[in-house]
């Protein structure tokens, strides 16, 4: 059969035996069910849109795009297919098949990412992210996030293709260094026991993975103790300002809630290396610095680092009350000196401490009293009884914990909430009741009964919210309420500044209404 191409572009029917699939086609997966449906359509109506091919040899052609129609034609047992033959260079062929495949909605995001990467790597014509976005009708941010998928490790790519994780999980994992991705992949799932020999893995929502990454990997750069612009602190890492692993470095990639919270480091290993280098330089410059640990536990013998019980940290903030001012941590003595934290929390930061054991302000000597044998025996007896009670309590708690399911049932939620509520004051109970629309006059504990009845009728979602609210209110009654709410807001990503601003505006509007003349206030009220 004559296969010579007479023009630069021509249309004809070609036997399937002369067609070859392209090795550079970004599409790697083909849905079998969809292919069978297309094959049935081809049997009934034929191929309505020609395949684009280019001549490779005298008797062979490469499919630029249309491989899906080619495969369906094979299933439909067709002898030939309509094609459009065009003379194309390798670069032109790659560009054409990438653009054609990337504008199709059924392509897998991973194939889409590899296609974008292939376009970006072309020598001629040269593409930018913005040009690719315009070519395929997507935003630059979309193209940038898809390109990041090519940084996924093989284990994550395999899970993505297998449908074990979604595109949202994959995009979050792709933002992490390769050595962090496998651990983060495990955090996408939880194990659930359904009576079988092995637990089943359940995929968690994307927000759970986001929270895990935020809590375990990302580090707030504004809190770093070292100079972020010092390129010589760890020469191999360079400056944080120019580091591509910093979230603020790529606004297209990190233009989400996480990015707006401030610059974060996505490489804990590099971050810790800079912290340790900063500590070494600081101690070398100031050998007199006291080295302390904020972690619990004792230090090894001969270690220069002082444990928590060997120093008193001096607080920088002013005491809020006279009683607080009497506490040792708010006082300064002649032995107060600078100390650097070597391990624990806030590593690398400088604080004021008193580490002199002879200081009567921060390390007062305890008065010893003379005890006879009877008192010693009584104390020993009480100690043993307390030890037995503690050991028994721990074992009972462990036994209870062992039978608690991974996902708390309504029975478990009810038990925890009812126990917590039994410790709450009447005023806190009323606050909790108002939060859920329960209003009742105060009447010797009736509010507690009404709230208990409401809890028993509530569904699991309401009980989960009640558990968090009860914990916050109970903790606030025993500590600083502002601190408790701030911690809760930080964990659940609540914008407290926006809420505070809105409340202030509402109060200001009420005050303005009160101060205005009656006629104006009445008009404003009617307008509202």
């Amino acid at each position: 059969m004559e296969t010579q191409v007479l023009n630069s572009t021509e249309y004809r029917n070609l036997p399937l035996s002369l067609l070859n699939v392209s090795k550079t086609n970004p599409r790697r997966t083909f849905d079998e069910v969809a292919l069978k449906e297309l094959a049935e359509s081809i049997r009934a109506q034929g191929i309505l849109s020609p395949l684009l091919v280019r001549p490779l040899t005298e008797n062979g052609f490469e499919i630029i795009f249309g491989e899906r129609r080619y495969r369906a034609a094979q299933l439909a047992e067709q002898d030939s297919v309509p094609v459009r033959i065009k003379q194309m260079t390798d670069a032109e062929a790659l560009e054409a098949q990438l653009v054609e495949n990337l504008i199709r909605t059924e392509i897998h995001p991973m194939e889409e990412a590899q296609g974008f990467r292939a376009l970006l790597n072309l020598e001629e014509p040269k593409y930018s992210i913005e040009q690719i976005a315009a070519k395929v009708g997507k935003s630059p941010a979309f193209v940038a996030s898809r390109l990041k998928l090519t940084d996924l490790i093989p284990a994550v790519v395999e899970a993505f293709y297998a449908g074990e994780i979604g595109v949202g999980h994959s995009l979050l994992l792709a933002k992490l260094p390769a050595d962090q991705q496998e651990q983060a992949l495990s955090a996408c799932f939880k194990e659930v026991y359904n009576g079988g020999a092995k637990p089943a893995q359940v995929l968690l929502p994307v927000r759970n993975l986001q929270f895990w990454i935020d809590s375990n990997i990302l580090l707030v750069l504004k809190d770093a103790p070292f100079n972020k612009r010092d390129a010589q602190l760890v020469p191999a890492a360079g400056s944080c300002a120019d580091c591509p692993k910093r979230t603020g470095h790529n606004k297209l990639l990190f233009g989400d809630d996480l990015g707006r919270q401030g610059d974060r480091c996505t490489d804990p290993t590099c971050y810790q290396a800079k912290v340790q280098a900063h500590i070494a330089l600081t101690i070398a410059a100031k050998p007199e610095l006291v080295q302390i640990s904020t972690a619990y536990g004792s230090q090894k013998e001969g270690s220069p680092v002082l444990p928590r019980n060997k120093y008193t940290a001096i607080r920088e903030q002013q005491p809020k009350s006279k009683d607080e001012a009497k506490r040792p941590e708010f006082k300064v003595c002649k032995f107060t000196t600078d100390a650097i934290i070597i391990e624990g929390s806030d590593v690398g930061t400088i604080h004021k401490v008193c580490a002199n054991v002879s200081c009567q302000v921060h390390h007062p000597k305890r008065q010893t009293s003379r005890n006879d044998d009877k008192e010693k025996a009584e104390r020993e007896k009480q100690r043993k009884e307390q030890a037995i009670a503690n050991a028994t309590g721990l074992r009972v708690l462990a036994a209870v914990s062992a039978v608690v399911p991974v996902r708390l049932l309504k029975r478990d939620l009810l038990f925890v909430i009812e126990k917590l509520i039994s410790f709450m004051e009447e005023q806190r109970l009323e606050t909790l009741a108002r939060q859920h629309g329960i209003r009742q006059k105060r009447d010797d504990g009736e509010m507690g009964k009404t709230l208990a009845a409401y809890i028993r009728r509530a569904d699991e979602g309401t009980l989960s919210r009640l558990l968090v609210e009860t914990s916050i209110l109970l903790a606030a009654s025993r500590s600083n309420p502002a601190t408790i709410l701030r911690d809760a807001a930080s964990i659940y990503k609540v914008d407290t500044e926006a809420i505070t601003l809105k409340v202030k505006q509402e109060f200001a509007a009420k005050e303005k209404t009160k101060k205005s003349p009656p006629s104006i206030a009445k008009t404003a009220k009617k307008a509202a």
Side-chain angles (χ1 to χ4, degrees):
M1 178 182 290
E2 178 62 42
T3 59
Q4 181 180 3
V5 180
L6 301 178
N7 304 312
S8 59
T9 300
E10 66 173 280
Y11 294 86
R12 69 168 74 165
N13 281 354
L14 285 180
L16 293 179
S17 59
L18 294 180
L19 300 180
N20 301 283
V21 297
S22 174
K23 296 180 180 180
T24 57
N25 185 5
R27 184 187 295 276
R28 292 289 180 266
T29 57
F30 296 88
D31 185 88
E32 293 297 330
V33 175
L35 277 179
K36 290 179 180 177
E37 292 176 352
L38 182 57
E40 291 297 326
S41 174
I42 290 174
R43 287 192 185 99
Q45 303 179 18
I47 296 178
L48 303 179
S49 178
L51 289 67
L52 178 64
V53 300
R54 67 167 177 159
L56 284 181
T57 62
E58 184 177 351
N59 293 311
F61 297 84
E62 178 187 14
I63 300 173
I64 305 303
F65 54 78
E67 183 177 342
R68 184 168 171 269
R69 281 163 281 169
Y70 166 76
R71 290 173 178 265
Q74 289 179 317
L75 290 177
E77 299 178 346
Q78 301 292 302
D79 295 327
S80 62
V81 292
V83 299
R84 175 190 172 200
I85 306 173
K86 185 177 181 181
Q87 294 281 6
M88 304 175 76
T89 64
D90 290 344
E92 290 172 340
L94 178 60
E95 179 187 9
Q97 66 184 182
L98 288 174
V99 173
E100 167 67 20
N101 282 287
L102 291 175
I103 61 175
R104 297 185 179 274
T105 57
E106 67 271 13
I107 189 171
H108 192 279
M110 198 67 224
E111 296 171 345
E112 194 173 33
Q114 292 164 346
F116 287 149
R117 178 63 63 189
L119 274 178
L120 203 61
N121 291 341
L122 282 177
E123 291 295 332
E124 186 64 36
K126 198 68 178 175
Y127 274 103
S128 66
I129 290 178
E130 288 74 17
Q131 288 172 328
I132 295 174
K135 199 83 172 178
V136 298
K138 304 288 186 180
S139 68
F142 177 89
V143 175
S145 64
R146 284 292 191 268
L147 282 168
K148 194 63 182 172
L149 289 177
T150 59
D151 293 335
L152 289 172
I153 62 174
V156 179
V157 174
E158 183 180 350
F160 191 17
Y161 270 126
E164 296 173 3
I165 59 174
V167 64
H169 301 87
S170 302
L171 289 172
L172 283 179
L173 294 173
K175 295 177 183 180
L176 304 178
D179 57 348
Q180 302 289 341
Q181 288 185 25
E182 191 163 357
Q183 185 183 6
L185 176 62
S186 301
C188 294
F189 306 93
K190 73 173 181 179
E191 293 184 344
V192 177
Y193 288 86
N194 294 322
K198 292 184 178 180
Q201 279 198 330
V202 177
L203 180 64
L204 295 170
V206 175
R207 64 177 180 274
N208 289 57
L209 176 60
Q210 179 80 70
F211 179 77
W212 185 91
I213 292 173
D214 196 18
S215 304
N216 294 275
I217 295 181
L218 296 182
L219 299 158
V220 181
L221 278 173
K222 72 179 182 64
D223 297 335
F226 52 83
N227 181 4
K228 275 77 72 178
R229 298 188 179 278
D230 187 356
Q232 300 304 314
L233 184 61
V234 178
S239 167
C240 294
D242 303 322
C243 181
K245 298 176 184 178
R246 176 175 64 88
T247 58
H249 184 268
N250 192 335
K251 294 182 180 179
L252 281 178
L253 190 59
F254 289 92
D256 50 18
D257 291 340
L258 190 61
R260 287 197 290 270
Q261 290 176 15
D263 271 354
R264 307 258 181 138
C265 173
T266 64
D267 190 346
T269 303
C270 179
Y271 184 94
Q272 294 303 327
K274 289 195 173 186
V275 170
Q276 294 305 316
H278 164 74
I279 291 174
L281 290 174
T282 304
I283 294 176
K286 296 182 178 180
E288 70 278 5
L289 274 176
V290 177
Q291 301 177 36
I292 61 174
S293 169
T294 56
Y296 290 94
S298 59
Q299 294 293 321
K300 294 181 180 179
E301 188 175 353
S303 172
V305 182
L306 297 180
R308 292 172 64 98
N309 61 343
K310 296 296 184 182
Y311 67 88
T312 299
I314 312 300
R315 294 194 181 185
E316 297 180 359
Q317 63 267 36
Q318 295 296 320
K320 298 179 181 179
S321 64
K322 293 181 179 180
D323 291 337
E324 199 174 63
K326 296 177 182 178
R327 293 164 59 179
E329 58 265 33
F330 287 98
K331 297 178 181 180
V332 178
C333 67
K334 62 180 180 180
F335 303 109
T336 300
T337 184
D338 288 334
I340 185 169
I341 300 177
I342 301 299
E343 58 183 55
S345 58
D346 300 325
V347 173
T349 56
I350 305 294
H351 298 271
K352 298 286 185 182
V353 302
C354 172
N356 194 315
V357 294
S358 62
C359 176
Q360 291 299 310
V361 176
H362 297 104
H363 305 276
K365 294 181 179 180
R366 296 180 179 178
Q367 297 295 325
T368 59
S369 59
R370 298 168 59 184
N371 300 305
D372 54 19
D373 295 339
K374 185 177 179 180
E375 290 176 343
K376 289 181 180 179
E378 183 64 28
R379 284 201 304 271
E380 181 64 19
K381 179 182 177 181
Q382 292 177 357
R383 186 192 66 78
K384 289 182 178 179
E385 291 175 351
Q386 186 62 45
I388 292 172
N390 289 343
T392 303
L394 286 173
R395 292 189 185 183
V396 171
L397 182 61
V400 172
S401 177
V403 298
V404 173
V406 175
R407 178 176 177 270
L408 293 181
L409 304 176
K410 184 174 182 180
R411 170 201 65 192
D412 309 307
L413 293 169
L414 276 172
F415 172 80
V416 176
I417 293 171
E418 287 178 346
K419 293 301 178 185
L420 289 177
I421 284 178
S422 65
F423 293 100
M424 293 177 66
E425 302 171 355
E426 187 73 15
Q427 183 181 0
R428 304 285 179 182
L429 289 176
E430 291 176 0
T431 301
L432 188 62
R434 286 199 302 271
Q435 180 72 7
H436 290 266
I438 304 172
R439 297 186 179 275
Q440 181 175 321
K441 295 180 179 179
R442 187 178 300 178
D443 187 14
D444 295 332
E446 287 298 318
M447 177 56 75
K449 295 179 181 179
T450 304
L451 188 58
Y454 171 77
I455 289 171
R456 293 190 188 96
R457 296 193 305 269
D459 57 22
E460 290 183 17
T462 303
L463 288 175
S464 298
R465 292 190 293 273
L466 274 163
L467 180 58
V468 175
E469 293 165 355
T470 305
S471 301
I472 293 172
L473 289 172
L474 192 59
S477 66
R478 287 162 172 75
S479 183
N480 186 348
T483 302
I484 301 300
L485 283 174
R486 184 173 64 249
D487 293 343
S490 175
I491 290 174
Y492 289 95
K493 303 294 182 292
V494 174
D495 191 345
T496 55
E497 293 182 359
I499 295 175
T500 303
L501 178 61
K502 186 175 181 180
V503 172
K504 287 181 178 179
Q505 291 173 346
E506 291 174 357
F507 273 75
K510 289 180 181 178
E511 289 294 327
K512 187 176 181 181
T513 303
K514 289 180 181 179
K515 293 179 180 179
S516 61
S519 58
I520 298 177
K522 187 175 181 180
T523 303
K525 184 177 180 181
K526 183 179 293 185

